[in-house]
């Protein structure tokens, strides 16, 4: 159908709709009370809880820092603390960026741009997050062994650990592959929107 | 006039616009109803900020299009639709030929990109290039370029059929 034909059909429909008014005051006011909980709100809450847990971990490590008596343990503990301190802030900031679309104030272009950029940042952060989590998991092993068992794994290297590491590597390799695969489409869609705006 | 009264009057006067936008962006009746309600909800949320503005229709189109875009892009929502059971979002023209043409038209529009979907909708609503530019945020010249591209796409769709 060409544009002119569309315009004719659209105009006829608009005229008919004018005659078919069906909204009442009651229906309209009820519609203003809707309560949607989007998936993003759920993620935001989960991240907030995660953030609290991270900071509890950070406080525990800080309070017990003196028990890390070798350079290797101290470096591991400091890296763990840095991850626990920074990751939740970046994570919450990224999600907040996603929620910044204000449909009542922005125009169509701004809405699309803000949405696509927010989503892109979120996906990139999630990818980085997987890598950092892997590092954190490795660092946690000697730190928690010292913290809860007073054992320095750097000195008493257990052969079992040598078996566990390749397993961990395979597990994380699969996880990274899966996460990248999941987000590929989302990232592509965001890129398409941004490209579309620029065209 | 009370806020509620002014708002319901505005919605009643423009209910056709919300219906048409919901139908362009969603293909199932259930989603159309959800989007319809979401648009009314967002208009209500932003109603205070609008009241000082000059043109109600520009503001309404802007909020409705933004809501439609975010609605189709967001992850699957879980929520409660309040009070729209009595709302039969159906337009059944008496003329079967018109019905067929409308179905064909919606199918063609849904194939367009998100940006072009919004622009063609405003064009079909009889908006001038300046108004489309003001609602969408694109410059007048970009709107003109896009409209000529849309026309081309529609012709291509026609040839493919």
């Amino acid at each position: 159908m060409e544009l002119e034909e569309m315009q004719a059909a659209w105009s006829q429909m608009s005229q008919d709709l004018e005659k078919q008014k069906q909204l009442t005051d009651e229906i309209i006011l009820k519609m203003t009370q809707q309560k949607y909980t989007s998936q993003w709100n759920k993620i935001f809450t989960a991240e907030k809880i995660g953030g609290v847990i991270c900071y509890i971990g950070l406080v525990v490590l800080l309070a017990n820092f003196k028990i890390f008596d070798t350079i290797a343990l101290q470096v591991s503990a400091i890296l763990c603390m840095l991850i626990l301190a920074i990751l939740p802030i970046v994570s919450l900031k990224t999600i907040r960026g996603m929620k910044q679309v204000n449909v009542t104030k922005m125009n169509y272009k701004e809405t699309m741009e803000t949405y696509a950029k927010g989503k892109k940042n979120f996906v990139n952060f999630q990818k980085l997050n997987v890598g950092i989590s892997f590092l954190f998991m490795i660092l946690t092993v000697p730190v928690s062994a010292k913290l809860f068992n007073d054992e320095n794994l750097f000195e008493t290297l257990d052969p079992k650990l040598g078996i566990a590491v390749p397993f961990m590597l395979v597990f994380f390799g699969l996880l990274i592959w899966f996460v990248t695969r999941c987000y590929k489409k989302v990232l592509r869609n965001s890129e398409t929107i941004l490209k579309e705006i620029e065209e | 006039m009370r806020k509620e009264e002014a708002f319901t009057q505005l919605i009643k006067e423009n209910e056709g616009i919300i219906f048409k936008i919901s139908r362009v962006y969603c293909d199932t009746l259930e989603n159309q109803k959800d989007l319809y309600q979401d648009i009314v909800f967002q208009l209500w949320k932003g109603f205070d900020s609008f009241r000082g503005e000059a043109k109600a229709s520009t503001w309404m189109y802007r909020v409705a299009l933004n809501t439609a875009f975010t609605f189709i892009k967001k992850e699957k929502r879980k929520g409660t639709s309040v009070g729209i059971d009595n709302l039969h979002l159906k337009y059944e023209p008496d003329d079967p030929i018109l019905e067929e043409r409308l179905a064909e038209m919606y199918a063609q529009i849904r194939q367009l990109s998100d940006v072009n979907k919004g622009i063609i909708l405003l064009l079909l609503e009889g908006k001038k290039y300046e108004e489309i530019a003001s609602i969408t945020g694109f410059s007048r010249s970009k709107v003109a370029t896009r409209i000529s591209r849309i026309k081309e796409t529609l012709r291509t769709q026609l040839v493919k059929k």
Side-chain angles (χ1 to χ4, degrees):
Chain A
M1 196 188 279
E2 294 233 22
L3 187 64
E4 292 71 23
E5 294 170 277
M6 276 187 176
Q7 276 167 327
W10 191 273
S11 154
Q12 182 61 52
M13 177 178 67
S14 300
Q15 281 172 27
D16 292 348
L17 283 170
E18 273 302 303
K19 292 176 210 149
Q20 289 181 15
K21 300 255 181 192
Q22 50 178 324
L23 288 181
T24 63
D25 290 4
E26 196 197 348
I27 291 177
I28 295 169
L29 290 175
K30 271 188 181 171
M31 281 195 275
T32 63
Q33 292 153 18
Q34 71 161 337
K35 283 190 173 51
Y36 270 121
T37 48
S38 74
Q39 206 74 353
W40 286 113
N41 288 337
K42 277 187 189 166
I43 292 175
F44 200 54
T45 313
E47 291 285 327
K48 274 190 202 161
I49 296 167
V52 171
I53 294 168
C54 284
Y55 281 103
I56 292 171
L58 178 67
V59 170
V60 172
L61 284 180
L62 263 174
N64 295 285
F65 192 72
K66 59 178 183 305
I67 70 164
F68 301 111
D69 44 12
T70 65
I71 294 287
L73 280 172
Q74 282 169 355
V75 169
S76 302
I78 289 169
L79 285 175
C80 277
M81 286 193 287
L82 279 175
I83 292 171
L84 289 171
I86 296 166
L87 215 58
I89 297 170
V90 182
S91 171
L92 289 172
K93 224 180 145 195
T94 320
I95 297 173
R96 193 161 282 170
M98 281 290 314
K99 289 161 75 84
Q100 259 170 1
V101 177
N102 186 344
V103 294
T104 63
K105 297 255 167 73
M106 293 172 164
N107 61 41
Y108 197 51
K109 188 184 169 198
E110 286 166 342
T111 302
M112 293 175 100
E113 231 163 18
T114 313
Y115 176 85
K117 280 183 184 165
K119 195 112 189 169
K120 216 173 126 184
N121 286 344
F122 178 76
V123 169
N124 285 332
F125 171 72
Q126 287 301 89
K127 281 187 191 168
L128 181 76
N129 201 3
V130 174
I132 294 173
S133 302
F134 175 57
L135 177 70
F136 183 70
M137 194 170 154
I138 293 195
L139 290 169
T140 311
V141 178
V143 170
S144 51
K146 181 69 184 171
L147 191 67
F148 302 113
N149 220 13
D150 198 23
E151 194 181 346
N152 187 348
L153 286 185
F154 291 111
E155 283 170 1
T156 58
L157 262 181
D158 193 336
K160 278 183 217 157
L161 207 65
I163 304 165
V165 171
F167 272 107
M168 276 162 67
L169 281 172
V170 171
F171 172 74
F172 266 92
L174 284 171
L175 192 65
I176 289 171
W177 172 79
F178 181 72
V179 170
T180 312
R181 201 167 158 253
C182 281
Y183 285 126
K184 220 177 204 170
K185 201 179 158 200
V186 182
L187 210 56
R188 211 170 37 229
N189 286 345
S190 301
E191 295 281 6
T192 310
I193 294 169
L194 291 171
K195 211 175 132 196
E196 216 181 88
I197 295 167
E198 291 310 315
E199 267 173 8
Chain B
M1 198 189 285
R2 276 174 52 229
K3 183 186 170 186
E4 281 84 357
E5 274 174 56
F7 181 72
T8 50
Q9 195 179 319
L10 178 80
I11 298 296
K12 275 188 197 167
E13 279 166 13
N14 297 287
E15 65 179 85
I17 295 173
I18 308 172
F19 172 83
K20 285 179 271 184
I21 293 178
S22 304
R23 215 176 145 187
V24 161
Y25 280 87
C26 301
D27 50 1
T28 68
L29 191 62
E30 196 191 341
N31 282 342
Q32 283 167 20
K33 273 189 171 189
D34 278 349
L35 175 57
Y36 193 102
Q37 188 178 356
D38 206 9
I39 292 172
V40 175
F41 178 65
Q42 295 300 341
L43 287 167
W44 172 250
K45 259 173 71 181
F47 192 54
D48 285 328
S49 64
F50 149 69
R51 291 180 99 183
E53 283 180 25
K55 225 171 178 188
S57 67
T58 304
W59 175 76
M60 269 197 85
Y61 279 111
R62 193 180 278 175
V63 176
L65 286 178
N66 290 345
T67 309
F69 171 75
T70 51
F71 183 90
I72 55 165
K73 292 291 166 195
K74 269 180 188 167
E75 311 299 303
K76 207 172 177 182
R77 286 151 173 256
K78 271 190 180 169
T80 47
S81 294
V82 188
I84 52 168
D85 296 340
N86 300 329
L87 181 66
H88 305 291
L89 270 193
K90 263 195 172 170
Y91 165 63
E92 284 155 348
D94 301 328
D95 181 3
I97 298 169
L98 177 64
E99 195 173 357
E100 203 180 297
R101 295 190 79 77
L102 286 171
E104 193 186 327
M105 179 188 72
Y106 276 115
Q108 276 184 275
I109 296 175
R110 285 193 198 116
Q111 282 180 48
L112 296 173
S113 69
D114 293 320
V115 175
N116 291 347
K117 222 179 265 172
I119 288 177
I120 196 173
L121 196 142
L122 294 167
L123 188 71
L124 291 172
E125 280 289 285
K127 300 287 164 204
K128 295 196 168 65
Y129 286 14
E130 285 78 11
E131 258 183 293
I132 298 177
S134 154
I135 294 167
T136 57
F138 291 101
S139 66
R140 193 199 175 280
S141 61
K142 278 223 169 174
V143 169
T145 316
R146 282 181 180 276
I147 288 173
S148 76
R149 273 197 217 144
I150 291 170
K151 283 183 186 172
E152 224 168 274
T153 312
L154 294 176
R155 261 180 234 125
T156 320
Q157 285 175 348
L158 210 63
V159 173
K160 274 186 191 166
K161 268 186 82 185

